[in-house]
Amino acid sequence: MHKLISFFNQREERLIILIVLIGAIAHAVNMFNFPYYENDEAIYLGRAWSLINFGQMDAYTYWYDHAPFGWIMLAGWYAVIPDFFSFGFSVNFGRVFMLLMHIASSILVYLIMKKMTGSRLASAVSILLFSFSPLAIYFQRRVLLDNMMTFWVLVSLAFLVYYNNKLRNIIYSAIAFGLSFLTKETSVFMLPVFLYVVYLQGHKHHKVFAVVKWISYVALVVSIYFLYALLKGELFPEGVLNSGEHVSLIETLVFQAERDGGSIFDPAGSTFWYNASVWMKEDPVIILLGFGATVMNLLIGIKDKLARILSLLTLSLIGYLVRGGIVIEFYIIPLFPFFAMNIAYMGNYLGRELQRIIPQKKYLTYLPNVFFLIVLPVIFLWLSFHMREGHSLYTSNQTARQEEAIEYILSKQYPSAFYAMDNYGFVDLMEKNNGNFAEAHHYWKVEYDPEIQEDILQSNPENIDYFLISPQLLNDVNTGVFPFIGEALANSRPIATFSRDGWGVEIWGTEYPRRILHATWHSYKQEFIHEGRVIDPATSDTTSEGQSYALLRAVLMNDKQVFDEVYNWTKSNLQTEDGLFLWSFKRKENDTGTATDADSDIALALIFAYKQWGDSTYLSEAKAVINGIWEHETAKVGGSAYITAGNWATGPGEATINPSYLSPSHYRIFAEVDTENDWMSAVDTSYDLLERCTFDLTDGEEVLPAEWCALNLTSLDVRPSAPPGPVGTEYGYNAIRVPLRVALDYHWFRSEDAKRYLSSLSFLEEEWQEHKRLYVAYTHAGEPWEEYESAVAYAGNLGYFLVENPDSAKEIYSEKILNKLFENETISYWEDPENYYTQNLVWFATAMYGGLFENLWAQ
């Protein structure tokens, strides 16, 4: 290329540098802020990232949607600047490369026009029009294959116009054109005109030879793409040559060719006309003047072959746009340099014609292009500040909020969360994830890549947790061709919004239980757990109940770090010599009492921890707790064990019972862990106690379990609990846990006892069907005790409905539990962010509703 510019004197070189520098500044100022990071930018950058890190053409299955030379070039840029974050956000790395592409393309435009016109002025005008077109700047800032393809097309054309009867320039041109195809296949639409140009430029004695030589070298370069696919067994469609299921280059090319963009004779249904209206609104000067100059040059070209070459090349690109296939707005990119050259060439021709008509006025030769040189940049500058609903190329900032959204995601610690996203932050999430976001995927891949949808998501949209949503994603989903994504999106809600200057992104969370469990657990850890201690804001106390809930939640969330922190604190501060746990940290000096529900839950959490993480220490610790429960929190009557309310609850001839402490599902597992004690008898007596504390307390229509009751250890009769023990036969904040605990026994073991007992609580179904609401507390006979609704009451009662009427359970969950979920960018909680009891009970109910409260021991 050095020889191509050897004819320039020093003065002209300074002129080129100045003009190119002006154009580069026009592109560079504010290019990291405007326009917004587009999805395709990160796709190509992500493929370069994959090539660098894994030697693969794509982080996903490469399906030949585009030839790979564009991101190979980006990978080469990485060899020069080996850090994707050298310029801040990862996409900026590619945008700097696009700036270099523009500079190189500008020099090529100058060289081509200088050879065609011999005029420095026309050449300078072509660069300035190319560089100052607002629409060109808008698209050329972006990391798009079209920009790189355009560069190689200009390289190819430059070698042809500087042919000078040297066949090696034919070869160089062919190689460059082949690389343009390997960057983006749409350059093929210019192939016929390029062949014609080769023929025109060829020496009169070997024109045909030049054409054959040129097309042969093009084919040689392009064949690399097909050879790559052939060697991978991905050239032909599935079934050809007895091949199995795979992607296919030929099949993809056919698919791309068949993408319908509507006929140009149907303006309402044509993607070309839609985008043409956008182009005209954004940059009418370059569109109208460029098209007009092209038509004029076609007429001039009847006698002027160079004008003919420019016009035909431009018309081939226009033909590509109007052919009826799909048209995306940035497909106009290759037209910008050709429009600019056509305008400058027309100006140069008009100047020569004016001089011919008025030969004494030599300055008229320059008049048209001087007009373009002065007037059009002023118009372009004005348009640059009035783009896209009044936004400016130089002052608007659409990317800052996009970066904030990625930083927000990175600030979270959800290692297993699945993100379906607009892809602009892909490299940032992959490179900065600290072990998180391995499952952050482009929404196109979620919809259409079997490795994502079928293998990772198991074809279940409920396994999607979050969306990183852009207007582009929403628009694509609204077309109806993303049914899988669409279903998950329809069951999602906005959590955080990041918007500025006409463009914004949002974080949406799905309303599926799996995602909600993770989000609320994350918030719960932040709000309630302090160095392993769960503190109830209402009392500033820590209870064994709160610690047990945290342990169960941590093990179900596979959160070993928090589990160990909570258990170590619990063991150090609440555990007694008999293996049980004091019910209150605040009162431990004066009250050595325990709570059986918490002890049972802690034992179960330790058993699950052993299964989850394989450390036998957890199992040993669990056995000590289980033995303590058997020895100190059961009353033995006639060879059977009755679970009491705590180590304090057995007195002379009587035991205090809390029905909501009874956990027959736990005891079935204890029976397998502790084979020395008859835990299955505790299962049987638990159902006996539940029935007695539901049906035998008062006369009349007793329909609900009591908060507390007392068991006569001789007759096994029950009565309302009296002083000095707790008093309360109403169905309230304790007793509402009964349906949930019993339903767990049915969920894990399909217990007929559980089914029979829950069926007896039909009052709950009747109350729901009649009033479409449930109060937080009722008398033992079913009269309202506290007449208001709460998510915690619905959570406890949900256990009944999950077993007896799943349709009602779905209705209650959706209308009374899910609607009480509040989320924003900092916290996720139900109803009252400071109510620790609500956060826990509703969490467990949500887990059971989603089938996610699993029996890890069985697994």
Side-chain angles (χ1 to χ4, degrees):
M1 185 61 73
H2 175 71
K3 292 182 179 180
L4 295 178
I5 61 173
S6 61
F7 65 90
F8 287 123
N9 57 32
Q10 188 177 7
R11 181 179 176 185
E12 186 164 19
E13 290 173 356
R14 288 198 296 267
L15 174 65
I16 294 175
I17 292 172
L18 176 62
I19 297 172
V20 170
L21 181 61
I22 292 172
I25 292 172
H27 275 247
V29 173
N30 206 46
M31 72 176 183
F32 294 157
N33 298 325
F34 190 88
Y36 62 88
Y37 298 127
E38 210 266 343
N39 195 50
D40 284 11
E41 295 187 79
I43 290 177
Y44 308 132
L45 200 66
R47 289 177 176 179
W49 173 83
S50 177
L51 193 62
I52 292 164
N53 286 280
F54 309 112
Q56 299 176 355
M57 289 297 182
D58 199 338
Y60 303 98
T61 301
Y62 174 49
W63 66 289
Y64 301 94
D65 53 326
H66 288 300
F69 193 61
W71 53 92
I72 292 174
M73 292 173 66
L74 286 169
W77 173 230
Y78 184 85
V80 178
I81 307 292
D83 183 0
F84 282 108
F85 309 107
S86 298
F87 309 100
F89 198 74
S90 62
V91 177
N92 294 340
F93 173 86
R95 288 195 171 187
V96 172
F97 187 65
M98 290 301 99
L99 177 62
L100 298 179
M101 284 281 95
H102 172 75
I103 292 171
S105 297
S106 297
I107 294 172
L108 289 166
V109 166
Y110 187 97
L111 293 173
I112 292 168
M113 286 304 296
K114 182 63 187 292
K115 183 64 175 177
M116 283 186 164
T117 65
S119 168
R120 295 178 186 173
L121 178 60
S123 304
V125 168
S126 63
I127 289 184
L128 289 174
L129 296 182
F130 175 50
S131 297
F132 273 92
S133 162
L135 204 54
I137 295 173
Y138 184 84
F139 289 127
Q140 288 175 4
R141 284 177 174 177
R142 284 187 167 150
V143 188
L144 297 172
L145 299 181
D146 305 72
N147 290 319
M148 293 179 268
M149 179 201 75
T150 301
F151 164 77
W152 287 112
V153 167
L154 292 172
V155 171
S156 181
L157 182 59
F159 277 113
L160 288 181
V161 297
Y162 285 96
Y163 171 53
N164 295 331
N165 295 322
K166 296 179 180 178
L167 285 176
R168 65 171 178 269
N169 284 0
I170 293 289
I171 296 173
Y172 296 153
S173 171
I175 292 172
F177 192 86
L179 292 176
S180 77
F181 180 91
L182 293 184
T183 304
K184 190 167 184 180
E185 302 86 338
T186 51
S187 65
V188 73
F189 285 86
M190 305 181 77
L191 181 62
V193 181
F194 262 89
L195 287 171
Y196 179 60
V197 175
V198 174
Y199 181 81
L200 287 178
Q201 293 293 91
H203 189 275
K204 62 181 179 179
H205 296 304
H206 48 70
K207 286 181 178 289
V208 174
F209 176 74
V211 170
V212 172
K213 193 177 188 69
W214 189 88
I215 194 65
S216 298
Y217 273 90
V218 170
L220 182 63
V221 174
V222 170
S223 68
I224 296 172
Y225 188 33
F226 292 88
L227 181 61
Y228 172 82
L230 180 65
L231 292 175
K232 290 196 69 179
E234 296 173 344
L235 178 61
F236 299 104
E238 176 185 345
V240 177
L241 301 177
N242 297 318
S243 60
E245 184 178 359
H246 62 273
V247 295
S248 163
L249 170 56
I250 292 177
E251 198 168 32
T252 301
L253 289 175
V254 172
F255 165 77
Q256 296 281 40
E258 292 178 346
R259 293 177 72 187
D260 185 21
S263 169
I264 61 169
F265 301 107
D266 176 23
S270 169
T271 55
F272 167 75
W273 285 118
Y274 171 79
N275 285 297
S277 66
V278 176
W279 299 330
M280 283 293 296
K281 181 180 178 181
E282 306 255 317
D283 200 347
V285 176
I286 197 72
I287 304 298
L288 293 176
L289 197 55
F291 181 75
T294 300
V295 173
M296 183 173 177
N297 286 334
L298 183 63
L299 297 175
I300 298 170
I302 295 173
K303 294 182 179 181
D304 183 340
K305 75 171 185 177
L306 295 177
R308 194 186 321 147
I309 288 172
L310 271 181
S311 61
L312 289 176
L313 287 170
T314 308
L315 289 172
S316 70
L317 291 170
I318 294 173
Y320 161 64
L321 295 177
V322 302
R323 74 197 188 283
I326 189 74
V327 175
I328 300 173
E329 63 173 351
F330 54 75
Y331 283 6
I332 195 176
I333 286 174
L335 273 171
F336 292 125
F338 287 96
F339 274 163
M341 288 189 290
N342 271 280
I343 295 169
Y345 196 94
M346 179 186 71
N348 187 67
Y349 174 81
L350 291 175
R352 285 188 283 112
E353 286 298 301
L354 284 172
Q355 187 182 21
R356 184 179 62 81
I357 296 170
I358 313 175
Q360 66 273 24
K361 304 292 186 180
K362 292 186 178 181
Y363 67 86
L364 293 177
T365 304
Y366 311 107
L367 186 60
N369 272 326
V370 168
F371 173 81
F372 295 149
L373 187 66
I374 296 173
V375 175
L376 294 188
V378 174
I379 297 174
F380 286 160
L381 190 62
W382 184 88
L383 290 171
S384 296
F385 285 91
H386 297 81
M387 293 197 69
R388 307 271 156 150
E389 300 180 356
H391 298 300
S392 165
L393 286 174
Y394 300 112
T395 60
S396 294
N397 188 337
Q398 293 184 325
T399 64
R401 296 296 183 262
Q402 288 183 287
E403 294 182 31
E404 287 177 14
I406 296 299
E407 290 301 320
Y408 165 78
I409 295 173
L410 288 169
S411 72
K412 302 300 179 184
Q413 295 298 315
Y414 300 154
S416 61
F418 188 102
Y419 281 80
M421 63 177 189
D422 184 294
N423 215 38
Y424 76 87
F426 177 81
V427 172
D428 293 78
L429 292 179
M430 293 302 103
E431 285 285 290
K432 299 178 179 179
N433 57 29
N434 298 318
N436 297 294
F437 319 114
E439 302 304 342
H441 297 285
H442 183 203
Y443 65 96
W444 276 83
K445 295 298 181 179
V446 175
E447 188 69 42
Y448 292 112
D449 192 332
E451 290 185 5
I452 306 299
Q453 186 179 131
E454 297 174 10
D455 297 347
I456 296 177
L457 293 174
Q458 300 297 303
S459 299
N460 184 0
E462 294 190 18
N463 288 325
I464 297 174
D465 297 304
Y466 293 93
F467 285 95
L468 174 58
I469 289 182
S470 66
Q472 183 176 349
L473 185 154
L474 288 177
N475 182 67
D476 285 346
V477 171
N478 288 337
T479 63
V481 296
F482 290 80
F484 186 79
I485 288 285
E487 181 177 343
L489 194 59
N491 290 280
S492 304
R493 63 172 69 192
I495 294 175
T497 299
F498 305 88
S499 180
R500 180 177 172 182
D501 286 348
W503 187 264
V505 293
E506 295 181 324
I507 310 295
W508 285 29
T510 59
E511 294 182 330
Y512 300 124
R514 176 181 177 274
R515 199 280 305 176
I516 291 172
L517 295 178
H518 281 276
T520 50
W521 170 236
H522 183 73
S523 292
Y524 187 83
K525 290 189 294 183
Q526 292 181 321
E527 299 299 319
F528 292 94
I529 304 178
H530 307 278
E531 297 180 346
R533 179 185 176 189
V534 179
I535 300 177
D536 181 355
T539 62
S540 298
D541 194 9
T542 295
T543 61
S544 59
E545 175 190 79
Q547 299 300 106
S548 71
Y549 289 160
L551 290 170
L552 271 177
R553 291 174 69 171
V555 73
L556 290 171
M557 289 287 93
N558 196 21
D559 192 337
K560 188 176 187 299
Q561 178 181 347
V562 172
F563 183 94
D564 288 341
E565 290 174 357
V566 172
Y567 182 64
N568 289 335
W569 189 95
T570 307
K571 185 177 180 179
S572 299
N573 293 278
L574 297 181
Q575 194 165 33
T576 64
E577 293 181 358
D578 54 22
L580 303 178
F581 299 89
L582 300 177
W583 79 274
S584 171
F585 177 67
K586 204 172 184 180
R587 305 182 189 183
K588 68 177 183 178
E589 299 299 328
N590 301 314
D591 189 342
T592 59
T594 63
T596 309
D597 63 330
D599 295 333
S600 300
D601 286 343
I602 291 172
L604 183 70
L606 287 166
I607 293 170
F608 281 2
Y610 162 69
K611 276 289 188 174
Q612 185 81 282
W613 301 307
D615 186 343
S616 59
T617 302
Y618 295 125
L619 189 62
S620 299
E621 299 276 352
K623 289 180 178 180
V625 181
I626 292 170
N627 184 68
I629 296 171
W630 183 265
E631 293 296 331
H632 303 286
E633 294 180 334
T634 61
K636 315 301 190 298
V637 181
S640 296
Y642 288 82
I643 303 295
T644 66
N647 61 358
W648 52 269
T650 302
E654 191 172 72
T656 300
I657 307 297
N658 186 315
S660 70
Y661 287 10
L662 302 174
S663 303
S665 59
H666 296 30
Y667 312 147
R668 295 183 196 275
I669 295 173
F670 294 172
E672 297 183 38
V673 174
D674 176 17
T675 56
E676 295 183 3
N677 297 307
D678 186 12
W679 280 101
M680 292 307 296
S681 72
V683 174
D684 295 335
T685 58
S686 291
Y687 282 108
D688 181 52
L689 285 172
L690 285 170
E691 291 179 359
R692 289 174 181 273
C693 291
T694 301
F695 304 119
D696 297 350
L697 288 183
T698 61
D699 295 330
E701 189 179 359
E702 299 88 1
V703 293
L704 295 169
E707 295 273 279
W708 298 89
C709 59
L711 173 70
N712 186 297
L713 298 178
T714 301
S715 66
L716 298 184
D717 292 330
V718 297
R719 64 171 181 80
S721 182
V727 178
T729 57
E730 71 273 8
Y731 178 72
Y733 288 101
N734 275 284
I736 56 174
R737 293 179 295 183
V738 170
L740 206 58
R741 288 192 179 273
V742 174
L744 200 60
D745 194 31
Y746 183 79
H747 175 58
W748 286 352
F749 300 102
R750 286 297 182 264
S751 165
E752 290 298 324
D753 288 333
K755 182 71 167 66
R756 185 183 67 253
Y757 176 75
L758 290 172
S759 296
S760 70
L761 305 182
S762 58
F763 165 81
L764 297 172
E765 177 70 27
E766 294 167 3
E767 188 77 354
W768 172 253
Q769 293 301 335
E770 183 176 354
H771 303 291
K772 291 301 178 183
R773 55 103 180 100
L774 296 172
Y775 288 137
V776 295
Y778 293 89
T779 66
H780 189 62
E783 295 298 324
W785 182 271
E786 294 186 40
E787 297 187 25
Y788 67 90
E789 300 174 71
S790 173
V792 71
Y794 285 110
N797 289 318
L798 190 66
Y800 163 81
F801 291 97
L802 285 171
V803 175
E804 288 298 298
N805 192 335
D807 289 338
S808 293
K810 183 177 181 180
E811 196 176 11
I812 288 172
Y813 178 78
S814 175
E815 296 180 10
K816 301 297 185 177
I817 295 178
L818 189 58
N819 281 351
K820 292 294 185 180
L821 177 68
F822 294 89
E823 293 187 276
N824 57 32
E825 60 268 25
T826 59
I827 192 171
S828 300
Y829 64 92
W830 286 279
E831 201 167 63
D832 180 356
E834 295 190 350
N835 191 316
Y836 115 95
Y837 191 62
T838 296
Q839 305 316 310
N840 282 294
L841 210 59
V842 179
W843 192 93
F844 287 117
T846 300
M848 189 175 293
Y849 176 80
L852 300 169
F853 198 156
E854 298 176 298
N855 179 2
L856 299 184
W857 174 255
Q859 296 177 7

